[in-house]
Amino acid sequence: MIREVTPHDADAITAIYNEYILHSTISFETEPLTPETMRDRIAHIADHYPYFVAEEAGTVVGYCYAHPWKERAAYGHTLETTVYLSPLGQNKGLGRELMLRLIEECRRQGYRALIACITGNNEASRAFHLRLGFEQVSLFKEVGHKFGQWLDVVDYELLLAPQTAPDPTESATLKF
């Protein structure tokens, strides 16, 4: 079942996320979070942006959300996406269900583009986002350092609205 997040989900989300912090390069955070910190993060994000959890038999096994990609006002129609699954939620299509719900909600709310920032060596996430229609738009080399290794970051983009064609009545003449 996919549903909106509640503050009561903070413990389960913290447990899922801390596994990635402590045992992978998928998250660039290096210190585990407390449930209180996660509860604050959830409140800050869910008050303004879509945030969903996947639940099986009453247990949260995954989550995803969207949040501002950059701070400047001109980026206000673009969000960054995040998705994490516990081992219990993997290989069941829940990540896809979560992301499809997130994409649709972002589209419904009028957002233009979604950005997924992925660790370069996370081939599973890269392939996952390609299957969802995202396209790789950048590669930043050795911008993160964790567990004694330099890590690349790749950005994938999904445009939610079709590009509009230029107005043929507008002059193409440059004006200085």
Side-chain angles (χ1 to χ4, degrees):
M1 173 175 90
I2 307 296
R3 63 170 174 77
E4 290 185 8
V5 72
T6 72
H8 301 296
D9 297 320
D11 289 347
I13 290 172
T14 303
I16 292 168
Y17 188 51
N18 280 345
E19 284 299 311
Y20 287 94
I21 292 172
L22 293 170
H23 304 291
S24 80
T25 57
I26 291 172
S27 169
F28 277 18
E29 292 202 59
T30 57
E31 298 298 322
L33 302 182
T34 66
E36 294 75 25
T37 299
M38 185 59 78
R39 204 171 339 279
D40 290 344
R41 287 185 183 187
I42 290 169
H44 179 74
I45 294 167
D47 283 349
H48 305 286
Y49 305 98
Y51 199 136
F52 300 104
V53 296
E55 206 177 52
E56 280 192 338
T59 300
V60 172
V61 294
Y63 66 97
C64 72
Y65 60 88
H67 59 93
W69 180 54
K70 300 236 181 216
E71 293 180 18
R72 305 285 189 266
Y75 294 118
H77 297 282
T78 300
L79 298 177
E80 183 178 340
T81 63
T82 297
V83 59
Y84 287 99
L85 298 173
S86 76
L88 296 174
Q90 293 175 3
N91 302 312
K92 298 178 179 181
L94 292 174
R96 181 175 175 77
E97 285 183 49
L98 278 165
M99 283 298 293
L100 290 175
R101 176 86 178 265
L102 183 70
I103 290 166
E104 188 51 40
E105 184 59 22
C106 291
R107 182 178 284 120
R108 190 189 70 71
Q109 291 184 21
Y111 289 100
R112 175 72 175 181
L114 299 177
I115 307 293
C117 301
I118 303 168
T119 306
N121 64 7
N122 187 349
E123 295 299 330
S125 185
R126 293 174 73 171
F128 171 74
H129 283 85
L130 286 172
R131 287 191 305 273
L132 289 171
F134 284 73
E135 295 180 28
Q136 184 177 334
V137 293
S138 73
L139 166 63
F140 299 98
K141 294 184 177 208
E142 299 183 1
V143 294
H145 190 263
K146 188 173 178 182
F147 302 141
Q149 59 185 312
W150 288 103
L151 302 163
D152 299 344
V153 171
V154 290
D155 286 340
Y156 284 72
E157 177 185 44
L158 177 68
L159 293 177
L160 299 178
Q163 295 268 355
T164 56
D167 184 348
T169 62
E170 284 188 44
S171 170
T173 306
L174 294 176
K175 296 180 176 131
F176 295 94

PDB file of all heavy atoms in Angstrom, residues 17 31 39 44 48 55 65 70 72 83 87 98 104 112 116 120 135 142 149 160 171 176:
ATOM      1  N   TYR A  17      16.827   4.549   6.369  1.00  0.00           N
ATOM      2  CA  TYR A  17      17.844   5.476   5.881  1.00  0.00           C
ATOM      3  C   TYR A  17      19.196   5.254   6.556  1.00  0.00           C
ATOM      4  O   TYR A  17      20.241   5.313   5.906  1.00  0.00           O
ATOM      5  CB  TYR A  17      17.368   6.914   6.075  1.00  0.00           C
ATOM      6  CG  TYR A  17      18.253   7.944   5.425  1.00  0.00           C
ATOM      7  CD1 TYR A  17      18.643   7.838   4.095  1.00  0.00           C
ATOM      8  CD2 TYR A  17      18.697   9.042   6.142  1.00  0.00           C
ATOM      9  CE1 TYR A  17      19.448   8.796   3.494  1.00  0.00           C
ATOM     10  CE2 TYR A  17      19.497  10.004   5.548  1.00  0.00           C
ATOM     11  CZ  TYR A  17      19.871   9.877   4.236  1.00  0.00           C
ATOM     12  OH  TYR A  17      20.671  10.822   3.644  1.00  0.00           O
ATOM     13  N   GLU A  31      26.822  10.294   9.190  1.00  0.00           N
ATOM     14  CA  GLU A  31      26.416  10.018  10.570  1.00  0.00           C
ATOM     15  C   GLU A  31      24.948   9.627  10.605  1.00  0.00           C
ATOM     16  O   GLU A  31      24.112  10.282   9.975  1.00  0.00           O
ATOM     17  CB  GLU A  31      26.634  11.254  11.450  1.00  0.00           C
ATOM     18  CG  GLU A  31      28.088  11.691  11.558  1.00  0.00           C
ATOM     19  CD  GLU A  31      28.976  10.639  12.200  1.00  0.00           C
ATOM     20  OE1 GLU A  31      28.517   9.973  13.156  1.00  0.00           O
ATOM     21  OE2 GLU A  31      30.125  10.478  11.743  1.00  0.00           O
ATOM     22  N   ARG A  39      11.978  13.111  12.093  1.00  0.00           N
ATOM     23  CA  ARG A  39      10.630  13.654  12.249  1.00  0.00           C
ATOM     24  C   ARG A  39      10.587  15.119  11.818  1.00  0.00           C
ATOM     25  O   ARG A  39       9.665  15.560  11.134  1.00  0.00           O
ATOM     26  CB  ARG A  39      10.171  13.496  13.706  1.00  0.00           C
ATOM     27  CG  ARG A  39       8.679  13.463  13.891  1.00  0.00           C
ATOM     28  CD  ARG A  39       8.208  13.089  15.302  1.00  0.00           C
ATOM     29  NE  ARG A  39       9.118  12.363  16.171  1.00  0.00           N
ATOM     30  CZ  ARG A  39       9.337  11.040  16.137  1.00  0.00           C
ATOM     31  NH1 ARG A  39       8.727  10.284  15.261  1.00  0.00           N
ATOM     32  NH2 ARG A  39      10.181  10.472  16.982  1.00  0.00           N
ATOM     33  N   HIS A  44       9.154  19.199   7.761  1.00  0.00           N
ATOM     34  CA  HIS A  44       9.591  20.308   6.907  1.00  0.00           C
ATOM     35  C   HIS A  44       9.272  20.038   5.442  1.00  0.00           C
ATOM     36  O   HIS A  44       8.836  20.931   4.715  1.00  0.00           O
ATOM     37  CB  HIS A  44      11.093  20.538   7.106  1.00  0.00           C
ATOM     38  CG  HIS A  44      11.641  21.628   6.262  1.00  0.00           C
ATOM     39  ND1 HIS A  44      11.415  22.956   6.516  1.00  0.00           N
ATOM     40  CD2 HIS A  44      12.401  21.586   5.134  1.00  0.00           C
ATOM     41  CE1 HIS A  44      12.004  23.686   5.584  1.00  0.00           C
ATOM     42  NE2 HIS A  44      12.614  22.876   4.740  1.00  0.00           N
ATOM     43  N   HIS A  48       5.027  20.851   2.537  1.00  0.00           N
ATOM     44  CA  HIS A  48       5.042  21.617   1.295  1.00  0.00           C
ATOM     45  C   HIS A  48       5.148  20.768   0.023  1.00  0.00           C
ATOM     46  O   HIS A  48       4.832  21.259  -1.065  1.00  0.00           O
ATOM     47  CB  HIS A  48       6.221  22.598   1.307  1.00  0.00           C
ATOM     48  CG  HIS A  48       6.220  23.487   2.501  1.00  0.00           C
ATOM     49  ND1 HIS A  48       5.343  24.539   2.647  1.00  0.00           N
ATOM     50  CD2 HIS A  48       6.972  23.461   3.620  1.00  0.00           C
ATOM     51  CE1 HIS A  48       5.566  25.136   3.809  1.00  0.00           C
ATOM     52  NE2 HIS A  48       6.548  24.503   4.417  1.00  0.00           N
ATOM     53  N   GLU A  55       3.915   0.518   2.482  1.00  0.00           N
ATOM     54  CA  GLU A  55       3.656  -0.261   3.687  1.00  0.00           C
ATOM     55  C   GLU A  55       3.247  -1.674   3.285  1.00  0.00           C
ATOM     56  O   GLU A  55       2.488  -1.860   2.338  1.00  0.00           O
ATOM     57  CB  GLU A  55       2.514   0.419   4.442  1.00  0.00           C
ATOM     58  CG  GLU A  55       2.476   0.186   5.904  1.00  0.00           C
ATOM     59  CD  GLU A  55       1.344   0.980   6.550  1.00  0.00           C
ATOM     60  OE1 GLU A  55       0.201   0.885   6.097  1.00  0.00           O
ATOM     61  OE2 GLU A  55       1.641   1.692   7.514  1.00  0.00           O
ATOM     62  N   TYR A  65      10.124  11.005  -1.625  1.00  0.00           N
ATOM     63  CA  TYR A  65       9.615  12.370  -1.504  1.00  0.00           C
ATOM     64  C   TYR A  65      10.295  13.256  -2.528  1.00  0.00           C
ATOM     65  O   TYR A  65      11.277  12.874  -3.163  1.00  0.00           O
ATOM     66  CB  TYR A  65       9.828  12.918  -0.086  1.00  0.00           C
ATOM     67  CG  TYR A  65      11.258  12.977   0.378  1.00  0.00           C
ATOM     68  CD1 TYR A  65      12.048  14.098   0.126  1.00  0.00           C
ATOM     69  CD2 TYR A  65      11.820  11.917   1.090  1.00  0.00           C
ATOM     70  CE1 TYR A  65      13.363  14.156   0.572  1.00  0.00           C
ATOM     71  CE2 TYR A  65      13.130  11.975   1.535  1.00  0.00           C
ATOM     72  CZ  TYR A  65      13.888  13.096   1.276  1.00  0.00           C
ATOM     73  OH  TYR A  65      15.196  13.150   1.711  1.00  0.00           O
ATOM     74  N   LYS A  70      17.048  23.440  -5.859  1.00  0.00           N
ATOM     75  CA  LYS A  70      17.941  24.557  -5.528  1.00  0.00           C
ATOM     76  C   LYS A  70      17.116  25.618  -4.830  1.00  0.00           C
ATOM     77  O   LYS A  70      15.893  25.621  -4.898  1.00  0.00           O
ATOM     78  CB  LYS A  70      18.571  25.132  -6.799  1.00  0.00           C
ATOM     79  CG  LYS A  70      19.385  24.123  -7.580  1.00  0.00           C
ATOM     80  CD  LYS A  70      20.767  24.607  -7.769  1.00  0.00           C
ATOM     81  CE  LYS A  70      21.575  23.609  -8.582  1.00  0.00           C
ATOM     82  NZ  LYS A  70      22.922  23.534  -8.138  1.00  0.00           N
ATOM     83  N   ARG A  72      17.142  29.120  -5.272  1.00  0.00           N
ATOM     84  CA  ARG A  72      16.739  30.313  -6.004  1.00  0.00           C
ATOM     85  C   ARG A  72      15.308  30.202  -6.521  1.00  0.00           C
ATOM     86  O   ARG A  72      14.861  29.137  -6.944  1.00  0.00           O
ATOM     87  CB  ARG A  72      17.684  30.589  -7.179  1.00  0.00           C
ATOM     88  CG  ARG A  72      19.150  30.686  -6.805  1.00  0.00           C
ATOM     89  CD  ARG A  72      19.450  32.024  -6.104  1.00  0.00           C
ATOM     90  NE  ARG A  72      20.868  32.236  -5.930  1.00  0.00           N
ATOM     91  CZ  ARG A  72      21.549  31.923  -4.851  1.00  0.00           C
ATOM     92  NH1 ARG A  72      20.942  31.343  -3.847  1.00  0.00           N
ATOM     93  NH2 ARG A  72      22.826  32.186  -4.763  1.00  0.00           N
ATOM     94  N   VAL A  83      14.273   8.302  -3.083  1.00  0.00           N
ATOM     95  CA  VAL A  83      13.542   7.065  -2.844  1.00  0.00           C
ATOM     96  C   VAL A  83      14.487   6.064  -2.167  1.00  0.00           C
ATOM     97  O   VAL A  83      15.642   5.922  -2.581  1.00  0.00           O
ATOM     98  CB  VAL A  83      12.941   6.485  -4.146  1.00  0.00           C
ATOM     99  CG1 VAL A  83      13.995   6.197  -5.190  1.00  0.00           C
ATOM    100  CG2 VAL A  83      12.088   5.259  -3.860  1.00  0.00           C
ATOM    101  N   PRO A  87      15.396  -3.716   2.888  1.00  0.00           N
ATOM    102  CA  PRO A  87      15.558  -5.014   2.214  1.00  0.00           C
ATOM    103  C   PRO A  87      14.221  -5.749   2.046  1.00  0.00           C
ATOM    104  O   PRO A  87      14.017  -6.444   1.054  1.00  0.00           O
ATOM    105  CB  PRO A  87      16.503  -5.782   3.140  1.00  0.00           C
ATOM    106  CG  PRO A  87      17.301  -4.712   3.814  1.00  0.00           C
ATOM    107  CD  PRO A  87      16.328  -3.564   4.011  1.00  0.00           C
ATOM    108  N   LEU A  98       6.112   3.643  -5.740  1.00  0.00           N
ATOM    109  CA  LEU A  98       6.349   4.887  -5.002  1.00  0.00           C
ATOM    110  C   LEU A  98       6.676   6.032  -5.960  1.00  0.00           C
ATOM    111  O   LEU A  98       6.094   7.119  -5.879  1.00  0.00           O
ATOM    112  CB  LEU A  98       7.500   4.711  -4.009  1.00  0.00           C
ATOM    113  CG  LEU A  98       7.186   4.060  -2.683  1.00  0.00           C
ATOM    114  CD1 LEU A  98       8.478   3.636  -1.978  1.00  0.00           C
ATOM    115  CD2 LEU A  98       6.382   5.002  -1.800  1.00  0.00           C
ATOM    116  N   GLU A 104       3.395  11.440 -10.488  1.00  0.00           N
ATOM    117  CA  GLU A 104       2.041  11.894 -10.810  1.00  0.00           C
ATOM    118  C   GLU A 104       1.608  13.047  -9.904  1.00  0.00           C
ATOM    119  O   GLU A 104       0.990  14.004 -10.358  1.00  0.00           O
ATOM    120  CB  GLU A 104       1.049  10.735 -10.724  1.00  0.00           C
ATOM    121  CG  GLU A 104      -0.324  11.099 -11.222  1.00  0.00           C
ATOM    122  CD  GLU A 104      -0.322  11.741 -12.613  1.00  0.00           C
ATOM    123  OE1 GLU A 104       0.435  11.301 -13.500  1.00  0.00           O
ATOM    124  OE2 GLU A 104      -1.081  12.720 -12.807  1.00  0.00           O
ATOM    125  N   ARG A 112       7.439  21.271 -13.130  1.00  0.00           N
ATOM    126  CA  ARG A 112       7.899  21.131 -14.507  1.00  0.00           C
ATOM    127  C   ARG A 112       8.910  20.001 -14.681  1.00  0.00           C
ATOM    128  O   ARG A 112       8.897  19.283 -15.674  1.00  0.00           O
ATOM    129  CB  ARG A 112       8.521  22.453 -14.941  1.00  0.00           C
ATOM    130  CG  ARG A 112       9.161  22.476 -16.276  1.00  0.00           C
ATOM    131  CD  ARG A 112       8.153  22.441 -17.345  1.00  0.00           C
ATOM    132  NE  ARG A 112       8.840  22.591 -18.640  1.00  0.00           N
ATOM    133  CZ  ARG A 112       8.217  22.619 -19.757  1.00  0.00           C
ATOM    134  NH1 ARG A 112       6.914  22.538 -19.782  1.00  0.00           N
ATOM    135  NH2 ARG A 112       8.877  22.729 -20.867  1.00  0.00           N
ATOM    136  N   ALA A 116      16.935  13.613 -10.179  1.00  0.00           N
ATOM    137  CA  ALA A 116      17.415  12.564  -9.277  1.00  0.00           C
ATOM    138  C   ALA A 116      18.939  12.648  -9.262  1.00  0.00           C
ATOM    139  O   ALA A 116      19.575  12.518 -10.306  1.00  0.00           O
ATOM    140  CB  ALA A 116      16.966  11.194  -9.766  1.00  0.00           C
ATOM    141  N   GLY A 120      27.411   7.864  -8.671  1.00  0.00           N
ATOM    142  CA  GLY A 120      27.800   7.323  -9.965  1.00  0.00           C
ATOM    143  C   GLY A 120      27.889   5.812 -10.022  1.00  0.00           C
ATOM    144  O   GLY A 120      27.564   5.199 -11.040  1.00  0.00           O
ATOM    145  N   GLU A 135      16.349  10.977 -17.879  1.00  0.00           N
ATOM    146  CA  GLU A 135      17.524  10.968 -18.751  1.00  0.00           C
ATOM    147  C   GLU A 135      18.710  11.541 -17.995  1.00  0.00           C
ATOM    148  O   GLU A 135      18.566  12.519 -17.252  1.00  0.00           O
ATOM    149  CB  GLU A 135      17.279  11.837 -19.989  1.00  0.00           C
ATOM    150  CG  GLU A 135      16.197  11.319 -20.892  1.00  0.00           C
ATOM    151  CD  GLU A 135      15.996  12.210 -22.098  1.00  0.00           C
ATOM    152  OE1 GLU A 135      16.958  12.883 -22.528  1.00  0.00           O
ATOM    153  OE2 GLU A 135      14.867  12.238 -22.610  1.00  0.00           O
ATOM    154  N   GLU A 142      34.099  12.840  -8.810  1.00  0.00           N
ATOM    155  CA  GLU A 142      34.793  12.869  -7.518  1.00  0.00           C
ATOM    156  C   GLU A 142      34.372  14.046  -6.642  1.00  0.00           C
ATOM    157  O   GLU A 142      35.193  14.727  -6.042  1.00  0.00           O
ATOM    158  CB  GLU A 142      36.300  12.866  -7.745  1.00  0.00           C
ATOM    159  CG  GLU A 142      36.765  11.616  -8.471  1.00  0.00           C
ATOM    160  CD  GLU A 142      38.261  11.532  -8.660  1.00  0.00           C
ATOM    161  OE1 GLU A 142      39.001  12.433  -8.214  1.00  0.00           O
ATOM    162  OE2 GLU A 142      38.699  10.541  -9.273  1.00  0.00           O
ATOM    163  N   GLN A 149      36.804   6.514  -0.412  1.00  0.00           N
ATOM    164  CA  GLN A 149      36.779   6.569  -1.873  1.00  0.00           C
ATOM    165  C   GLN A 149      36.118   7.851  -2.371  1.00  0.00           C
ATOM    166  O   GLN A 149      35.224   8.388  -1.731  1.00  0.00           O
ATOM    167  CB  GLN A 149      36.077   5.345  -2.455  1.00  0.00           C
ATOM    168  CG  GLN A 149      34.639   5.166  -2.008  1.00  0.00           C
ATOM    169  CD  GLN A 149      34.040   3.878  -2.513  1.00  0.00           C
ATOM    170  OE1 GLN A 149      34.156   3.548  -3.683  1.00  0.00           O
ATOM    171  NE2 GLN A 149      33.390   3.142  -1.634  1.00  0.00           N
ATOM    172  N   LEU A 160       8.130  16.933 -16.755  1.00  0.00           N
ATOM    173  CA  LEU A 160       6.762  16.520 -16.487  1.00  0.00           C
ATOM    174  C   LEU A 160       5.765  17.090 -17.479  1.00  0.00           C
ATOM    175  O   LEU A 160       4.672  16.579 -17.619  1.00  0.00           O
ATOM    176  CB  LEU A 160       6.361  16.934 -15.064  1.00  0.00           C
ATOM    177  CG  LEU A 160       7.214  16.313 -13.965  1.00  0.00           C
ATOM    178  CD1 LEU A 160       6.777  16.821 -12.610  1.00  0.00           C
ATOM    179  CD2 LEU A 160       7.157  14.801 -14.020  1.00  0.00           C
ATOM    180  N   SER A 171       9.761  37.194 -33.494  1.00  0.00           N
ATOM    181  CA  SER A 171      10.892  37.437 -34.364  1.00  0.00           C
ATOM    182  C   SER A 171      12.124  36.754 -33.819  1.00  0.00           C
ATOM    183  O   SER A 171      12.384  36.760 -32.614  1.00  0.00           O
ATOM    184  CB  SER A 171      11.147  38.941 -34.468  1.00  0.00           C
ATOM    185  OG  SER A 171      12.372  39.179 -35.132  1.00  0.00           O
ATOM    186  N   PHE A 176      19.998  44.129 -29.535  1.00  0.00           N
ATOM    187  CA  PHE A 176      21.060  44.478 -28.583  1.00  0.00           C
ATOM    188  C   PHE A 176      20.730  45.775 -27.889  1.00  0.00           C
ATOM    189  O   PHE A 176      20.179  46.672 -28.376  1.00  0.00           O
ATOM    190  CB  PHE A 176      22.417  44.595 -29.286  1.00  0.00           C
ATOM    191  CG  PHE A 176      22.856  43.285 -29.849  1.00  0.00           C
ATOM    192  CD1 PHE A 176      22.591  42.948 -31.165  1.00  0.00           C
ATOM    193  CD2 PHE A 176      23.508  42.371 -29.075  1.00  0.00           C
ATOM    194  CE1 PHE A 176      23.004  41.738 -31.687  1.00  0.00           C
ATOM    195  CE2 PHE A 176      23.919  41.161 -29.594  1.00  0.00           C
ATOM    196  CZ  PHE A 176      23.670  40.849 -30.906  1.00  0.00           C
TER     197      PHE A 176
END
